[in-house]
Amino acid sequence: VSQSRSKQNNVDLQHQLNVNDVYLIESWIVEDENNDKIYALGYTKEQVPQGTWCVSFKIKNQDLWNEYLESGLLKGFSTPFIVTVFST
């Protein structure tokens, strides 16, 4: 899916304010609770157990970074998604 048609970079604050210049970089499910990169980032198994969906974003919006994230005012942000469930 091309990024122009994809919704992967639709990010908002508190489900109300759309934010520009934030890009989804990667998405994965924690499968190995002994050797997943989320733990190398400082999270614990209690915080992020096996089966957790993790994502990382590149934040190029300097105002968002400074005013909300670096200041500690906001600990994260939301991204809406549509899920299609397939029977196997």
Side-chain angles (χ1 to χ4, degrees), residues 28-33 36 38-39 48-54:
W28 75 97
I29 304 293
V30 175
E31 294 180 2
D32 182 349
E33 66 180 18
D36 192 275
I38 195 69
Y39 307 124
V48 187
Q50 186 175 2
T52 300
W53 175 37
C54 297

Side-chain angles (χ1 to χ4, degrees), residues 36-81:
D36 192 275
K37 71 182 190 173
I38 195 69
Y39 307 124
L41 294 170
Y43 294 93
T44 67
K45 295 174 190 176
E46 290 76 26
Q47 293 172 309
V48 187
Q50 186 175 2
T52 300
W53 175 37
C54 297
V55 295
S56 64
F57 285 85
K58 173 71 174 175
I59 300 173
K60 295 180 83 174
N61 182 319
Q62 202 62 44
D63 291 334
L64 170 70
W65 182 261
N66 292 336
E67 187 175 341
Y68 290 96
L69 297 170
E70 193 164 89
S71 73
L73 180 64
L74 191 66
K75 303 293 185 207
F77 48 86
S78 306
T79 183
F81 63 95

